[in-house]
Amino acid sequence: MVDKLNRKLTMLVVAFVAALIAQFVLPFRLGLDLEGGTRLTYSVDIQAARDAGVVSAQQSDADVMAELVAIWTARVDPTGTRGVVIRRVGGNRIVIEIPGSASAVANDVETSLAQALGAADGTILLAEADEAQWDRFPTTGGVIRIGDEEITYSERKGSILAGARRGQTKTVAAEHAAGERVKLIAADPWKSLIENTGRMEFFMRANEGDLEGASGLDIETEKAKAWIDANPELPIGDYNLKLATENPGSPLSRLRFYPSKSSEADLKSDVSQAELLKRNLVPLIVEKDPDWRFGGGDVAAVRQTQDDIGFPAVGFDIKSGRGTDFGDYTGAHVDNQMAIVINDEIATMPNIKSALTGGGRIDGGARGFREEEVQDLIKVLKSGSLKISPKFESEESVGATLGADYVRRGTISGIVGLSAVVIFGIVYYRLLGLFTALSLGFNLLLLLGAMRIMHATLTLPGVAGIVLTVGMAIDANILIFERVREEVLKGRKTLQAAKDGFDNALSTILDANLTTLITGLILFFEGSGPVKGFAATLCIGIITSLFSSLVLTRVLMHFAFERGVEHFNMMRFVQDTKFKFMAMAPKALTISLIAIVLGVVSFAILPAHEKYGIDFIGGNTMTIVTREAQSKAAVTEAVRGIDDTFKGAIVQEISSSGSGGLYRQFRLEFKSATGEAGDGNTYRQTVQRALTDMLSRGPIDATANAGEITGALLYFEQTHPIADIQKKLEGIGLSEVVVQAADSESGASFTFNARTAATAQTSTLNANIEDAFANERDSNGQPFTWERPIPQSESVGPQVVQELRDKAILAMLLSLFAVVMYIRVRFSEYSYGLAAVAALVHDVLITLGVLGIAVHFDLVEAEINLTMIAAFLTIIGYSLNDTIVVFDRIRENLPKYNRAMEDVIDLSVNQTLARTLLTSGTTMLAVIIMFGFNYGTRNSLESFGFAMLVGILIGTYSSIFVASPVLLWLEKRRIAKHGETAPSAPSPVAQLP
């Protein structure tokens, strides 16, 4: 039964072993909604950039922020499979939420310390004796531990860890002596991509002739070095801006100073960053002719190459429209040095030997680039340059959006649903059902293995892709088995029936899967964000499903025959039906049209804040601090019970504020009552009033009563030495101060008694206390930070910005066009493709209307958000698969029977009815279990399950009562137009049974 059995067995074993190894060797990443992750906050000074001319006056703040979000998305999640969330918060902040652990644990990497936090520029010098360990500390940044203190750094240059920051992980700062051990506890590739502006510029090295009578080049260079001495913490770009703005029309306005890359000897030397900057400073000149000014925008493509000694390098191509100018520019400067400046540093400065028209190369100079440096540089240059340098503000770990209880519900419902499908299959198809279970298990193993190999992150939209994959895998097996049954009923022996069954089902399986695969590929290449992630999972799943169904199932049946199986026992719920579906079509289509109109109207009249989630319309976010450690479930219940505005609020625990399921800090995200950002102060006051008994009472609770202060309370985020607090209080004129640690979950609350002037006012006292600790640090170097009940509250922008929405719409339109064209080629007529698209539009509109009704009557949480988009894509894929199966049987039957087309369609639908009901029934069984487990929780699993349930029902209905009647109408119209009397059919023909 199986040709080339050994080859197929080898393929199965290799795929199985590779997927199995991936399960044990490679990590499996879960998204923010399932596992939580890291939350990075950045701010940008748009007005300063506009004043400096970096941002045009015509470009609005919203446009600048949208451009920034688009570039960062392309850098950190180019394939859409990582589940990264990037959105605007407030006026000038952007929050980036990275799923899972943003860093890879690396506890085996250690070295010694030569100098900790040397000078004032945030650098750490590693000992030369451990040079072999340097390269194991990522050049892109990470987190290290020295003693009990954890310190983040942004970049490694040789033995120097630059951009060191304390307090990011809430550990106490301490002094560190040379020789202490430095342990890498996490590598952080994200910040490098985020903070790298990626600004590329081309300059020629300046010479005396460029200054045209102005002060000499040496004098100007010394002025630049003097400015660096006076401003060691400012970037050299500030000095270049000063030259340009203070010398309009002068040659000095075209002078620029940038440092070349530090040599290995420089990096090993114990010198400050300011000294290295002065040592490597190079004067460059801006060309007078605007056509001879080149930057990153003139680069068409970047790629990896090698330098002259074999180190990795970056090759670049100049855009075709600028190639001639670039050739003229470089040709006019033969024997001069051209500096390629990236992020205010000269990446390479080759000597021009001849005119360059096509492009050039960026290498690492004498030090050479490392592989990871080249890969990051390529990724940054491909994604675009940032006009504004972002300022890092904070980093924190947050819990899963769904929460542990909901993830547990989802996991259990998935296992129960899959088990129910497997049990049903075994009961219904007996031995063949067991083969289906093995094929399905093998398919899931391959799919999960492929996701691990691709480093894909599993989010809820990804789960939607897996659900559709499982449904199509089951459908393929059912198609095969039902075809085998048909052949047996025709009188063929089981072995021949099995061969014919596979052969007859092959075309249908390929058509159904390939149309969905085409859709998935277009969604992947043209979509973005969650659409891209869904498409990636779907495409992998289709390939693994085809392999499992067409290879493994056939091999299993082959071995069954070899072991003496003579026939397959199967149950049969659906007998030979003879329903006149096309006669019922007019009434069904009328009902569909009425349902579409009512549904679309009901959805359209809903207010935006009721039908759209925060992903589409934005809303508000705030951080709350509780008095005692709370569970996420308790806080969620309390917040959602405030009023309707908070009914669908998303609550995430901040992991660093507790452990063991109890935390003191939580982040809330919710829509406003109007669907717009709303007033953050109003929502802050609402939450503070409603949760008074739960929230912290900080930061200061002190009362002045006739010169005595008793039982005053101070609330800090971190604990501090009592002596330091007492000293600060005495500094504002208090006497007889006695400070004690208060009984608090956080260990950061203090009570004190003191004496003050008899006339002291409480309001003045509290203000003086707050000022005493403002911008101050304790003796351990830890900043005094007040703990406030709601330390942050601001508006958030929608995640689904215009670009993402437009790309999703474009991807869907292209997908529908591709489906029509594919079906046109396979079925020889446009009618089939147009009818299939009509069914898809019908299903989406009906489902949208049902969701609108559900929202209006508050039946389930069914607002339109990113999860619901994934559900709609799944419904489209399922409906398309169902329709193609029916159309394929129609195409097969048309040449066989010389009867009216409506009769052939009726026959075809009746013949595939058993398969349709079985596939729909098994898929619905799993979805019903998922929905039942999550009904009433008002989480995204509930809304996803509800939408899928409606979509499967409507999709099953539409393949019979929408797609087929539309096909009949289109075919009759085509036949009448071309003057045909009947469908063309080869001889001989048979009568309908």
Side-chain angles (χ1 to χ4, degrees), residues 422-486:
V422 168
I423 292 171
F424 174 82
I426 293 174
V427 171
Y428 192 85
Y429 285 112
R430 311 296 168 81
L431 182 59
L432 292 178
L434 180 60
F435 292 166
T436 300
L438 293 174
S439 176
L440 188 58
F442 182 68
N443 175 36
L444 288 175
L445 177 67
L446 294 186
L447 174 57
L448 296 179
M451 291 185 67
R452 287 177 186 266
I453 292 171
M454 293 177 59
H455 305 292
T457 299
L458 181 63
T459 61
L460 206 54
V463 172
I466 293 176
V467 169
L468 180 53
T469 295
V470 170
M472 295 185 71
I474 294 172
D475 183 53
N477 282 279
I478 290 176
L479 276 168
I480 293 168
F481 300 156
E482 290 300 316
R483 280 291 197 168
V484 172
R485 187 204 302 273
E486 287 182 23

Side-chain angles (χ1 to χ4, degrees), residues 165-217:
R165 297 190 185 100
R166 299 182 121 157
Q168 301 300 315
T169 58
K170 307 297 184 182
T171 56
V172 178
E175 296 294 327
H176 303 292
E180 282 196 55
R181 302 300 292 174
V182 180
K183 177 180 286 188
L184 176 69
I185 61 172
D188 189 356
W190 305 95
K191 286 186 184 177
S192 174
L193 295 175
I194 293 167
E195 298 177 8
N196 191 331
T197 58
R199 187 171 57 254
M200 177 192 283
E201 298 172 285
F202 296 81
F203 301 101
M204 289 296 168
R205 183 163 189 154
N207 55 56
E208 293 294 343
D210 293 320
L211 296 187
E212 300 174 357
S215 57
L217 197 57

Side-chain angles (χ1 to χ4, degrees), residues 124-139:
I124 295 172
L125 189 64
L126 305 177
E128 290 193 25
D130 291 341
E131 183 173 353
Q133 289 286 75
W134 293 353
D135 285 345
R136 303 189 67 187
F137 284 77
T139 59

Side-chain angles (χ1 to χ4, degrees), residues 882-954:
D882 206 37
T883 301
I884 293 298
V885 171
V886 175
F887 283 2
D888 198 82
R889 185 59 71 96
I890 294 172
R891 177 185 60 178
E892 179 184 336
N893 284 336
L894 274 175
K896 294 181 181 179
Y897 303 105
N898 189 21
R899 292 289 300 274
M901 188 166 185
E902 50 260 53
D903 294 334
V904 176
I905 292 177
D906 279 338
L907 172 66
S908 302
V909 174
N910 278 290
Q911 286 177 337
T912 57
L913 188 60
R915 168 262 154 204
T916 299
L917 295 179
L918 284 170
T919 300
S920 301
T922 52
T923 308
M924 281 188 61
L925 179 61
V927 173
I928 288 172
I929 290 172
M930 177 194 293
F931 178 65
F933 267 81
N934 291 277
Y935 179 71
T937 61
R938 309 201 72 83
N939 66 30
S940 51
L941 288 174
E942 178 191 42
S943 58
F944 175 76
F946 179 73
M948 284 293 299
L949 192 59
V950 174
I952 291 171
L953 283 170
I954 300 300

